[in-house]
Amino acid sequence: MNNSSSHPCMPKSISAQIGVSEKGHLRMTFSKAALSPKQIRDCFNRKFFSVIEPYEMPEPLARQLGLSSGKDYISIGKYPIKETSEMFIIDF
């Protein structure tokens, strides 16, 4: 994912857990406790998370998650942000 100045969420780094949803989609979860108020405001204060360039999963990580490699697992688009009391969840 690109951290260009045109993207509203531009942290140098942000901690996330990566997994697979019940529907087989790549899932990223972000603990609210690990995020600054600025990161929450800039990255998660909207209903959707925008991806401005595709991301191809590295083969070792795809294998570890049980996904096939060689395809974009995060395509350009807007993805709904789900929120619980403890985390933000994005399924790609």
Side-chain angles (χ1 to χ4, degrees):
M1 285 179 271
N2 189 338
N3 282 344
S4 72
S5 60
S6 65
H7 198 279
C9 179
M10 304 179 344
K12 290 183 180 178
S13 67
I14 189 168
S15 296
Q17 291 184 335
I18 299 173
V20 179
S21 73
E22 303 79 29
K23 295 182 179 181
H25 297 135
L26 181 67
R27 172 175 281 177
M28 297 181 84
T29 58
F30 303 85
S31 170
K32 289 181 177 180
L35 299 168
S36 72
K38 181 175 179 6
Q39 288 172 320
I40 291 173
R41 183 180 63 250
D42 292 350
C43 301
F44 301 100
N45 200 25
R46 297 168 180 81
K47 293 182 181 185
F48 293 93
F49 183 85
S50 294
V51 175
I52 59 174
E53 68 180 51
Y55 177 76
E56 185 176 319
M57 182 72 59
E59 188 174 338
L61 182 56
R63 236 188 346 256
Q64 186 176 5
L65 293 170
L67 302 169
S68 59
S69 60
K71 73 176 239 182
D72 292 338
Y73 273 96
I74 303 177
S75 299
I76 294 171
K78 290 185 178 183
Y79 296 88
I81 298 173
K82 299 172 193 160
E83 183 176 0
T84 71
S85 60
E86 297 178 358
M87 67 183 64
F88 295 102
I89 303 165
I90 304 171
D91 290 336
F92 297 96

